[in-house]
Amino acid sequence: MSVVTDPARPAVVEAPGTPPARRRGSFGFNTVSTREKVVRYVLLMFVLLITIGPFLWQLSTSLKGSGEDIYTRIPRLLPAQPTFEHYGAVADTIPVWDYAKNSLVVAVLVVGGNVIGASLAGFALSRLQFRGRRLVLGLFLATLVLPGEVTIISQYVTVREFGLANTLFGVALPGMIGALNVLLMYNAFRSLPVEVDHAAIVDGANAWQRFVYIGLPSVRGTISVVAIFAFIGAWDDFLWPLIVLTDPDKYTLTVGLQYLSGTFSNNPRLIAAGTMIAFIPIVIVFATLQRFFFKGVEEGAVKG
Amino acid sequence: MRYQRWFTPWVLVIPALTWLLVFNLWPSVNTVILSFTNAKPLGGGTFVGLRNFETLLQDEQLRWALLNSVIYMVVCLPFLTVLPLLLAVLVEKKLPGITFFRTAFYTPVVASAVVVALIWQWILDDRGLVNGLAEKLGVISGPLPFLSDQWLLLFSAISLTIWKGLGYYMIIYLAALGNVGRDLHEAAAVDGAGPLRRFVHITVPGVRGTMILISILISVSALRVFSELFILTGGKGGPGGRDNSVVMLIQQYSQGFEGNLGYASALSIVLFFVTVVPMLILARLNRRGAEA
């Protein structure tokens, strides 16, 4: 927050809900005029309609009864005969709950791997001195310019050589320690002053103790960003599981949804219900954790 | 000065380094090796010399894919560099409820591209929301073939990508806006500069570096597009396979008995070069701009 330097004016803190008292012609950046507020909220609502509208429309379609005309020219958002029957029908068509479980297994493995592997490496690279540190760091940086799709075929060959083609573990494995996450953790650990380390060393703390008691507590924001993104990335991924998995029993949700829409169904209500099954969990995860995410953004954890 | 045993750092780094070597560096080398073979998805294959690269030159689908990628990039760039910045300015001020709006605007980003593409497929259906509304309003007499015409399909996928990307770049801009001096804005306001002038003369120059970074990200991700086109075309690449992207071609050659991992690897090398070129150009632009 900037400091209000004008002594004639009391410091105005952004107080939600209270309209700021301002005279005409005055200006201030902690205060918002009523007119500006109205304009801002109108614009916010407009963008909200554009970003959230399609999801609501899909939700509405998934809840509309089989007898209800979903093709009406005047779109009706609220279902006339609301029903959950299509959610059951999806499960009768494809093993959608197994797919959800498969997605979850992959996501948990990827989150665990990244949180552990990336924080360990990030800590060592930023806070421990050792020969070869710069080289290792350079290797991690170098792979960032390489789009993942370029190596996806030979990655598949590697996973196949391990005997993991067509397995969920094969889907999770390559993403379990991402180079980008290592660099994010490296950056986060680096923002801690070196003096703290020196003090701990004087007190006789070894590297592991410095990692657990000094390093980790100071990078919680970045760890949550890494975890959130690893989860979302694994849950949403499509191309990689599509290449690795050939057996419909082992599909993850995204591949299963494509299977549903491509093979079985022209019923928009059914596909809508399927998409909601994949969409709602991720929204809940994100909505619950968003404050960590936005906090991480402020700490500079998101830089592309 | 070292304060730990020599192997301690290595113990911590080894897992990540192993992953890097096995799943990043070795596959990069192996892609080049594979591109000289006719390796099959289920195993086996022999050295075929330059045959895959000769095939590349005559691959008509690849030509369409490259053209589509360029169109994708050229259309996405202006929209996704400008609109998210405006959004970031809109959600920057901490009004009551702003966290809700920020989260909501970010929702399309956290949704899977598959989910989003299936939603749009329904909205753009011959009897879907857009066609229904447009017919009702009398703008069109028959449904527009968003999902079956080569060009409409491509532009539908592009608008989907833009819509899905807005929140992502908005957040990056939002982080950058925090560093744009508030006192600068205040000073300009004292001098009578309106919101628009302050946006053009203070905000935009203030986030210039971020803008370059974002345009690199946009270009690269436009060239890597897969899920949107795959779902909207039902995995078939549109009429006559003319709505493929390079990644879609790679995926098509990765599967089944007729798959050819060798050729898919050659396509991957093409993908590498097309994504690296805009990156280098924009990075160079950045450096020159910084010197000026």
Side-chain angles (χ1 to χ4, degrees):
Chain A
M1 285 297 110
S2 70
V3 181
V4 179
T5 46
D6 182 359
R9 229 181 56 190
V12 181
V13 184
E14 291 166 46
T18 52
R22 281 179 46 195
R23 263 164 313 186
R24 230 180 116 78
S26 74
F27 58 87
F29 283 81
N30 291 327
T31 58
V32 183
S33 71
T34 315
R35 201 178 60 124
E36 190 190 338
K37 241 183 203 171
V38 171
V39 172
R40 277 182 179 265
Y41 277 113
V42 167
L43 288 172
L44 285 169
M45 291 308 292
F46 174 70
V47 180
L48 186 70
L49 182 74
I50 293 173
T51 49
I52 296 299
F55 294 108
L56 291 180
W57 181 242
Q58 191 80 342
L59 178 65
S60 151
T61 303
S62 77
L63 295 173
K64 282 176 181 167
S66 298
E68 197 175 337
D69 183 10
I70 52 172
Y71 300 108
T72 46
R73 284 206 176 175
I74 302 165
R76 201 205 315 255
L77 186 60
L78 291 178
Q81 310 151 2
T83 170
F84 284 108
E85 65 178 282
H86 308 301
Y87 288 82
V90 173
D92 293 339
T93 317
I94 54 167
V96 71
W97 305 116
D98 290 341
Y99 291 172
K101 201 187 73 200
N102 293 345
S103 285
L104 191 64
V105 167
V106 172
V108 167
L109 284 171
V110 171
V111 169
N114 276 297
V115 166
I116 297 168
S119 20
L120 289 176
F123 179 79
L125 288 171
S126 63
R127 308 215 69 91
L128 303 178
Q129 296 295 322
F130 61 100
R131 205 181 274 263
R133 193 181 68 100
R134 282 176 171 278
L135 177 73
V136 174
L137 202 55
L139 282 178
F140 279 106
L141 264 174
T143 56
L144 283 193
V145 296
L146 199 69
E149 289 83 357
V150 169
T151 53
I152 207 158
I153 293 298
S154 49
Q155 218 162 59
Y156 170 69
V157 172
T158 307
V159 166
R160 192 187 67 195
E161 300 294 306
F162 289 163
L164 294 171
N166 196 23
T167 65
L168 287 176
F169 191 58
V171 176
L173 192 68
M176 278 173 70
I177 307 179
L180 178 65
N181 292 329
V182 172
L183 290 169
L184 282 177
M185 293 313 302
Y186 163 78
N187 237 345
F189 281 117
R190 219 171 41 154
S191 58
L192 199 65
V194 194
E195 289 75 23
V196 182
D197 274 357
H198 290 302
I201 290 161
V202 171
D203 290 344
N206 63 28
W208 180 253
Q209 286 166 329
R210 277 163 14 227
F211 172 65
V212 174
Y213 297 111
I214 299 172
L216 284 183
S218 70
V219 294
R220 272 192 227 131
T222 308
I223 290 188
S224 33
V225 170
V226 166
I228 295 170
F229 271 108
F231 187 90
I232 293 173
W235 183 273
D236 288 350
D237 196 12
F238 178 52
L239 176 58
W240 176 242
L242 185 67
I243 289 178
V244 176
L245 301 173
T246 44
D247 186 350
D249 285 344
K250 293 182 178 146
Y251 283 171
T252 57
L253 260 180
T254 50
V255 184
L257 276 182
Q258 179 264 330
Y259 182 56
L260 172 74
S261 82
T263 319
F264 288 107
S265 179
N266 286 315
N267 183 356
R269 301 174 190 85
L270 201 66
I271 295 169
T275 53
M276 281 300 129
I277 292 173
F279 174 63
I280 289 170
I282 207 80
V283 169
I284 293 174
V285 167
F286 184 67
T288 323
L289 300 176
Q290 48 87 6
R291 65 198 173 91
F292 297 105
F293 171 73
F294 287 113
K295 212 176 104 202
V297 169
E298 278 163 23
E299 286 172 18
V302 180
K303 286 270 165 66
Chain B
M1 280 278 260
R2 289 196 211 141
Y3 303 101
Q4 70 277 326
R5 279 164 294 191
W6 70 268
F7 56 83
T8 310
W10 288 105
V11 172
L12 301 183
V13 166
I14 285 281
L17 196 58
T18 311
W19 251 260
L20 188 75
L21 295 175
V22 176
F23 296 111
N24 277 319
L25 295 180
W26 164 241
S28 320
V29 177
N30 201 24
T31 301
V32 179
I33 300 173
L34 283 169
S35 69
F36 295 103
T37 71
N38 62 357
K40 296 284 162 220
L42 300 172
T46 51
F47 183 77
V48 294
L50 288 170
R51 203 201 293 160
N52 288 326
F53 293 93
E54 285 160 14
T55 316
L56 278 181
L57 296 177
Q58 287 140 25
D59 190 335
E60 203 204 339
Q61 287 202 326
L62 175 63
R63 247 171 277 160
W64 280 109
L66 287 171
L67 177 66
N68 292 338
S69 300
V70 171
I71 295 173
Y72 226 99
M73 188 173 87
V74 169
V75 180
C76 281
L77 259 175
F79 283 102
L80 280 178
T81 33
V82 175
L83 292 179
L85 178 57
L86 297 175
L87 283 188
V89 171
L90 184 62
V91 299
E92 189 196 8
K93 201 150 279 181
K94 287 187 175 154
L95 296 172
I98 203 68
T99 314
F100 164 75
F101 287 104
R102 287 180 183 178
T103 314
F105 296 174
Y106 201 75
T107 309
V109 182
V110 298
S112 168
V114 175
V115 166
V116 165
L118 285 171
I119 293 177
W120 278 68
Q121 194 173 42
W122 166 224
I123 289 177
L124 296 173
D125 190 89
D126 279 355
R127 301 201 287 164
L129 189 62
V130 172
N131 274 319
L133 270 178
E135 277 179 68
K136 176 70 193 166
L137 296 172
V139 187
I140 50 171
S141 49
L144 288 175
F146 288 115
L147 303 174
S148 45
D149 176 80
Q150 181 195 347
W151 296 109
L152 276 177
L153 195 58
L154 182 67
F155 284 105
S156 301
I158 292 176
S159 29
L160 164 52
T161 303
I162 292 173
W163 175 78
K164 194 179 187 311
L166 288 175
Y168 181 71
Y169 300 110
M170 172 190 86
I171 289 295
I172 301 181
Y173 274 129
L174 192 62
L177 282 180
N179 303 328
V180 178
R182 230 160 125 111
D183 32 356
L184 220 56
H185 271 286
E186 297 191 10
V190 177
D191 293 343
L196 186 68
R197 288 193 56 183
R198 294 206 303 270
F199 177 77
V200 173
H201 294 290
I202 300 175
T203 308
V204 173
V207 297
R208 195 180 152 280
T210 310
M211 215 172 224
I212 304 263
L213 170 75
I214 283 182
S215 36
I216 296 178
L217 293 176
I218 296 166
S219 322
V220 173
S221 62
L223 297 169
R224 292 163 57 187
V225 66
F226 172 73
S227 305
E228 294 97 318
L229 271 174
F230 184 93
I231 297 291
L232 287 187
T233 64
K236 305 208 172 57
R242 289 177 177 177
D243 280 314
N244 277 309
S245 68
V246 181
V247 181
M248 278 178 75
L249 292 178
I250 293 175
Q251 186 272 336
Q252 282 162 22
Y253 283 102
S254 77
Q255 304 222 296
F257 294 104
E258 281 141 56
N260 183 343
L261 297 186
Y263 191 62
S265 301
L267 286 167
S268 305
I269 291 173
V270 173
L271 180 68
F272 174 71
F273 283 110
V274 293
T275 48
V276 158
V277 167
M279 240 191 290
L280 291 179
I281 292 174
L282 285 163
R284 208 186 158 82
L285 218 67
N286 188 23
R287 202 177 314 149
R288 197 177 305 162
E291 280 162 10

